[in-house]
Amino acid sequence: MIFLKSSQSGVDSTMTKMIAAKPLTGIQISQVHLRTANLSRVLHFYTAILGLKVLSSAGSMACLSATGLEPAWIRISEEPAAPARNRGTAGLFHIALLYPTRRDLAAAVVRLAKHRHPIDGASDHVVSEAIYLRDPDGNGLELYADRPKANWVWQNGQVGMSTEVLDLESLLQTAGPDAATAQLSPATRVGHLHLQVTDLKAAELFYHDFLGLAVTQRSYTGALFLSADGYHHHVAVNTWGVRMPVAEDEVGLASYRIIVPDKDQLLELSDRARTNILLPDLRPDRDGPVLRLRDPAGVWLELA
């Protein structure tokens, strides 16, 4: 048996095998931690334009959610000396905010137009409809709404996905008359996370072989999509334009957290991480233990 190793820049891609994981179930991307050099500018975007609410703010840290109540699903910390991210490094591709209905997604588009915030694109992925944009730090964002799961097409364990031009006119027809001022639905949450990595094989070994996520789509060149419980994807990874490992002190994604259903599963992951030489860090948190380890992008993944 050859084990995977971890380094400052993530998984060592020279390793080719690891102890197989049980399928991971019942998970959720629960929190994303962003590093910024200008907290007030970024906070204005997430609150005034996207409609999130601040549930706590102290000095250089702010926590946000759709309701202004726990749990917080975006944390933003300010480090004024943090350099801008080099676009050739691994790290965040986009955070994907999942809206509960097309109407809610349409309202988000109306808000963007009201504030004259540019979008990078709009795509129909068959399983979902998505709008792409960037926050003031250049972090990628996807705003999306799923199509009914009953309409997704699966073949040999792969979900049918594509990238087509989104019918924006059809989407905007669902927006209500008060869309520009409508409150963000409390059901809005982080639906998935898309990361950039230096090695696709190492990423598959980590997310599939170690964590136990199923590979749900591998037809996109240079990308993989993985999930639990038959979702189209909770995590996506790509190597598009990536030349260097993540720089730990840069503006951008500092860490992200995945909730697993019970403590036993968390401890099993901790044991498996040690066996596979992934250098896990298991520490107490107010809601229970948190397992921290480097992902293939070199970013801190927290399992709670």
Side-chain angles (χ1 to χ4, degrees), residues 75-98:
R75 293 173 58 214
I76 308 172
S77 60
E78 183 178 58
E79 296 181 22
R85 180 184 169 194
N86 183 322
R87 290 302 164 192
T89 59
L92 181 67
F93 190 61
H94 62 239
I95 304 165
L97 303 186
L98 175 59

Side-chain angles (χ1 to χ4, degrees), residues 121-292:
S123 297
D124 185 335
H125 293 304
V126 182
V127 295
S128 63
E129 296 174 287
I131 307 294
Y132 295 94
L133 62 149
R134 296 186 180 276
D135 75 8
D137 281 338
N139 295 308
L141 288 167
E142 175 184 344
L143 314 182
Y144 78 109
D146 281 332
R147 285 208 166 93
K149 194 172 182 179
N151 295 341
W152 301 354
V153 177
W154 292 82
Q155 187 172 11
N156 299 322
Q158 302 284 286
V159 65
M161 291 174 61
S162 182
T163 300
E164 310 295 338
V165 176
L166 179 65
D167 187 343
L168 266 174
E169 183 178 352
S170 171
L171 175 66
L172 289 172
Q173 284 175 355
T174 68
D178 60 345
T181 57
Q183 295 291 304
L184 187 65
S185 167
T188 307
R189 58 184 175 84
V190 178
H192 66 266
L193 203 60
H194 195 146
L195 304 166
Q196 294 190 285
V197 297
T198 56
D199 188 290
L200 213 57
K201 180 61 176 177
E204 184 170 353
L205 288 169
F206 182 84
Y207 290 108
H208 175 61
D209 294 56
F210 167 64
L211 276 187
L213 296 176
V215 178
T216 57
Q217 179 54 251
R218 58 170 78 247
S219 67
Y220 284 78
T221 302
L224 281 176
F225 298 78
L226 306 100
S227 84
D229 305 313
Y231 192 53
H232 51 75
H233 65 292
H234 288 102
V235 175
V237 292
N238 76 64
T239 56
W240 304 331
V242 178
R243 302 179 301 277
M244 298 172 289
V246 69
E248 188 172 7
D249 62 345
E250 285 183 344
V251 165
L253 182 63
S255 68
Y256 59 102
R257 181 173 290 195
I258 296 177
I259 295 292
V260 298
D262 58 66
K263 185 177 178 180
D264 288 343
Q265 193 169 25
L266 181 66
L267 295 177
E268 180 187 340
L269 284 166
S270 179
D271 290 342
R272 194 159 64 245
R274 289 189 179 88
T275 303
N276 287 293
I277 325 176
L278 284 170
L279 307 180
D281 174 18
L282 188 64
R283 59 177 62 183
D285 190 69
R286 66 177 187 177
D287 297 319
V290 173
L291 175 65
R292 283 168 47 92

